[in-house]
Amino acid sequence: MKDQLTEIKLNIKRGRLHLRDIEWLVKTVEQQEKELEQLRTVDQACQAMKKAL
């Protein structure tokens, strides 16, 4: 993933951003949003368990 981001950054600097790069970025951000939501759910469950104890 880091290599892909580095390549995209270089392409942007060179003025050569490709549709595949944009699609990859969108897919990556969507996946990270899902993971973040899962972490929030787990955190909320942990907080509720702490209160219950």
Side-chain angles (χ1 to χ4, degrees):
M1 184 164 125
K2 188 175 180 181
D3 292 339
Q4 184 73 24
L5 285 174
T6 302
E7 181 184 334
I8 290 172
K9 287 178 188 177
L10 288 173
N11 284 342
I12 290 170
K13 287 180 183 178
R14 295 176 187 144
R16 290 187 281 164
L17 186 61
H18 302 284
L19 180 59
R20 65 177 162 77
D21 295 335
I22 295 170
E23 290 171 337
W24 183 86
L25 286 168
V26 169
K27 185 178 105 182
T28 302
V29 169
E30 288 173 344
Q31 180 63 33
Q32 288 178 342
E33 286 175 338
K34 289 176 187 175
E35 291 173 11
L36 180 59
E37 188 58 38
Q38 290 172 345
L39 288 173
R40 285 185 178 140
T41 301
V42 169
D43 184 56
Q44 289 172 351
C46 289
Q47 295 300 323
M49 287 173 52
K50 281 182 183 179
K51 288 180 182 178
L53 297 175

